[in-house]
Amino acid sequence: MPLVDPLTPVRPSPQVSATLRAILIVIAVLAVLIPVLLVRTAPRTVSHHRVRTLPQRVVPQAELPPVEPVAFQNLDPQDARSYNADVPFVDGPNPAARPFRLIGDPSARARATDCMAAAVLYEAGDDSTGQRAVAQVVLNRVRHPAFPKTICGVVFQGADRSTGCQFTFTCDGALTRNRWSEAQWNRARGIAAAALSGNVFGKVGYATHYHTNWVVPYWQASLDKIAAVDTHLFFRWTGWWGTAAAFNRHVSSDEPVVAALAPYSEAHRGAVDSMTGLPMTANPLFDRAAAEAPLPSALSGASGSFLVTLDADTMSPDGFAAYAARACGDRAYCKVMGWTDPSKTPTALPLQPSQIAAMSFSYLRDRSRGYDKALWNCREFRRPAANQCMKAQTFLSTAQLVSETLKLDEEPAPAAALPPHVPLLSDGLTGVRRKEPAADKATAPGRGTLLVPVMKPGEAAKP
């Protein structure tokens, strides 16, 4: 037997060497694949947002509680459900509301019934229990001084804005996207008629707010949670404003016409729109461009004034009025001036005569004077009535007026007033006549009559 030198290295057989390489390759592959598989099969990480709770403030009886626009916390639906489940119901009694009976002529009752029917159908679907709960909230609101004093006013509050409406179906296009059958409308009308004739849904008490359990509105923390109906949670104001004594407001029977309901409601057809003065057609079209166009920004230093470019290719002339109302929102005083030619749209006031002549549309709201009117340039857009047209005007600058006055031969009066048919250019709204100021009152700058002082020849101007 030959001797083996211990210093001579032993070489593995070719078979052992191949097996070892294969094992190393497998280990290397697994080292890469296992982390990849762990990452791909790991449970999805859910980003949890914290709820920003506002401090609960009890509004005193001497102060009317604010009605906040609808805005929601940035929460995953499951997080919202968990949060809502942890919000306790308020302690103490939850009395049923008093029966409500609407008075008024048959046409006003029909308009109120169809407004209520739209609310319960679009908010609760074809579910009688949910519809009764929604109807009770509408009734509670109409009797509360913080809300409009008509059924249609409550239901369509804020509907002229894409955000800020109180019932979302009135401003998100749902009335045109979602159509209900005649049988479903009739069932909703039955619920509405019963609610307006004294039927009470006692479970929600004097609730004025509600939301589904998969969202968390910002206003939730400032109200008391009092009831749950299926997936909806109901709330009332904390303190005196949530008690029965607060729901004492006289309800008006002057129910407005709502053009958006005309396709579904005979009661909302054939009347005259209070803003445009236009007869309601039997089947008016919803102007999506007017409802969804981005809102303009008010002029700097004049929060109630807007200079806008109107796209006549996508928006109807009647849509101009709806768009202007959206832009004005809840402002008591607001003016919107629009041009269809972008190159002629000004960026600041006062307007030049050429800019006023090129104006396509104007809208003025002044609630202190009960004025709310839209006007069109009838050289561009034909209107059914002459009182909807801007009036052709002759514009003279102040310098021209002074020059003409100084040419007079006879001695003028101490002050010469502009002729009543010559408007000033302070706000640029043509066709709007204002009430003449009293003779013994000073006229505000830029409004009413401009007084042009006239001096005798050689007389020095007084400071």
Side-chain angles (χ1 to χ4, degrees):
M1 182 175 181
L3 297 175
V4 178
D5 187 354
L7 299 177
T8 303
V10 180
R11 294 182 178 180
S13 65
Q15 183 178 1
V16 174
S17 179
T19 302
L20 183 60
R21 284 198 298 271
I23 292 172
L24 293 175
I25 291 172
V26 170
I27 293 173
V29 171
L30 291 176
V32 174
L33 288 179
I34 289 175
V36 172
L37 292 174
L38 289 175
V39 170
R40 288 183 174 273
T41 59
R44 185 174 64 91
T45 302
V46 179
S47 177
H48 294 275
H49 299 272
R50 293 184 58 188
V51 177
R52 295 194 308 169
T53 57
L54 302 177
Q56 189 177 53
R57 174 176 176 264
V58 179
V59 180
Q61 183 176 347
E63 177 185 342
L64 199 65
V67 179
E68 302 292 342
V70 179
F72 301 103
Q73 302 271 4
N74 182 21
L75 288 178
D76 180 88
Q78 189 55 48
D79 288 343
R81 289 187 180 95
S82 299
Y83 177 84
N84 287 321
D86 291 337
V87 176
F89 290 95
V90 69
D91 294 329
N94 179 30
R98 299 186 305 274
F100 175 89
R101 291 178 175 83
L102 181 68
I103 60 174
D105 60 59
S107 60
R109 287 183 58 85
R111 290 194 292 272
T113 299
D114 284 352
C115 284
M116 178 74 86
V120 302
L121 190 56
Y122 280 88
E123 289 290 300
D126 193 16
D127 172 69
S128 60
T129 302
Q131 289 180 353
R132 292 181 63 202
V134 172
Q136 189 62 57
V137 170
V138 174
L139 296 182
N140 291 345
R141 285 192 169 203
V142 80
R143 288 197 290 197
H144 198 285
F147 297 95
K149 58 183 178 180
T150 62
I151 299 296
C152 292
V154 165
V155 173
F156 285 87
Q157 184 180 9
D160 54 353
R161 302 189 299 269
S162 59
T163 57
C165 55
Q166 293 297 302
F167 294 90
T168 54
F169 80 93
T170 66
C171 65
D172 66 357
L175 278 170
T176 56
R177 291 196 310 268
N178 305 328
R179 300 298 181 105
W180 299 92
S181 68
E182 189 63 28
Q184 291 169 320
W185 269 104
N186 288 336
R187 285 193 290 271
R189 287 187 179 100
I191 296 291
L196 296 173
S197 301
N199 189 278
V200 176
F201 189 74
K203 186 173 183 178
V204 300
Y206 283 99
T208 50
H209 297 69
Y210 66 84
H211 66 81
T212 57
N213 64 1
W214 60 82
V215 297
V216 178
Y218 281 99
W219 51 253
Q220 190 208 78
S222 62
L223 277 73
D224 289 338
K225 181 179 175 182
I226 60 174
V229 177
D230 295 331
T231 59
H232 284 75
L233 306 174
F234 292 79
F235 300 78
R236 71 185 179 206
W237 267 305
T238 301
W240 186 85
W241 288 109
T243 65
F247 296 79
N248 58 3
R249 200 257 306 276
H250 172 72
V251 177
S252 172
S253 60
D254 187 17
E255 291 288 341
V257 172
V258 180
L261 287 181
Y264 316 103
S265 168
E266 186 69 31
H268 289 275
R269 301 173 193 164
V272 176
D273 187 289
S274 60
M275 182 182 73
T276 65
L278 299 176
M280 297 290 189
T281 60
N283 187 23
L285 298 177
F286 173 76
D287 195 317
R288 185 175 297 277
E292 298 180 355
L295 293 178
S297 299
L299 294 178
S300 177
S303 62
S305 298
F306 299 85
L307 304 176
V308 300
T309 299
L310 301 168
D311 188 351
D313 293 330
T314 61
M315 192 181 300
S316 68
D318 290 338
F320 297 167
Y323 181 62
R326 282 186 57 217
C328 288
D330 291 332
R331 292 175 174 87
Y333 182 85
C334 180
K335 52 190 175 185
V336 178
M337 292 154 277
W339 289 259
T340 54
D341 185 347
S343 65
K344 296 180 180 179
T345 304
T347 57
L349 295 175
L351 302 181
Q352 299 302 313
S354 60
Q355 295 169 329
I356 297 176
M359 191 187 303
S360 304
F361 169 83
S362 68
Y363 170 69
L364 176 62
R365 175 196 295 168
D366 189 348
R367 288 177 178 163
S368 66
R369 301 185 180 186
Y371 194 92
D372 196 318
K373 191 172 182 63
L375 295 170
W376 287 260
N377 185 335
C378 290
R379 290 173 297 180
E380 283 189 77
F381 307 103
R382 294 184 62 183
R383 306 303 299 168
N387 63 359
Q388 298 171 21
C389 299
M390 298 176 178
K391 292 179 173 61
Q393 305 286 349
T394 301
F395 297 98
L396 297 177
S397 67
T398 303
Q400 289 174 314
L401 288 169
V402 173
S403 175
E404 292 297 323
T405 304
L406 293 177
K407 292 178 181 178
L408 296 176
D409 293 329
E410 68 265 23
E411 182 175 325
L418 290 183
H421 67 280
V422 180
L424 297 177
L425 308 185
S426 59
D427 57 15
L429 285 175
T430 62
V432 177
R433 294 182 177 177
R434 295 189 173 88
K435 184 178 179 181
E436 291 295 333
D440 58 344
K441 293 183 180 179
T443 303
R447 292 186 178 274
T449 303
L450 175 67
L451 297 180
V452 182
V454 180
M455 298 176 292
K456 296 180 181 180
E459 182 180 27
K462 297 180 181 180

